[in-house]
Amino acid sequence: MSALVKQQELVKYIADKTKIDTNAILLVLKHEQAFIDKAKPDAKGNVNIDSDDIVDYVLSRRDVKLDELKVEMIMDAEMDFMMKKGKASYEK
């Protein structure tokens, strides 16, 4: 399955769950990925990212017109999707 198909599946899942416009979802996901890409690993090679930091970063982007609750809804739905696919889990 191509990355585009997987992204389309993710965006559809988030849109169905949150009722937020797909263009807004794609924008949030783009900024979220940019934030993650800039994160530096610690001495063990782990990257620890606080979801509140990502939300703050996304909200600081001029082209994002969503409120904090909607950005959090998108990120929560994304995590739910990834957990259902076995690609993510919460740290214990």
Side-chain angles (χ1 to χ4, degrees):
M1 189 182 307
S2 73
L4 179 59
V5 173
K6 289 178 185 177
Q7 183 182 36
Q8 288 173 342
E9 182 182 0
L10 170 63
V11 171
K12 181 179 179 340
Y13 179 86
I14 295 170
D16 289 347
K17 191 164 184 160
T18 64
K19 308 302 182 219
I20 296 172
D21 177 69
T22 57
N23 289 327
I25 293 168
L26 286 166
L27 188 60
V28 169
L29 294 177
K30 178 184 91 167
H31 289 307
E32 175 189 30
Q33 189 61 53
F35 182 89
I36 292 168
D37 289 346
K38 292 178 188 176
K40 303 288 185 212
D42 62 17
K44 295 180 182 178
N46 298 321
V47 177
N48 295 312
I49 299 173
D50 186 293
S51 61
D52 290 336
D53 292 339
I54 297 174
V55 171
D56 290 343
Y57 176 82
V58 170
L59 290 171
S60 73
R61 306 296 91 191
R62 290 182 179 184
D63 54 350
V64 175
K65 305 299 182 206
L66 299 174
D67 61 30
E68 183 175 357
L69 179 60
K70 288 184 178 157
V71 171
E72 288 176 351
M73 287 171 57
I74 291 169
M75 291 177 55
D76 288 345
E78 177 190 21
M79 186 63 167
D80 186 49
F81 177 86
M82 295 298 194
M83 288 175 64
K84 286 182 182 199
K85 296 291 184 178
K87 303 290 183 190
S89 64
Y90 286 104
E91 187 176 286
K92 296 178 182 180

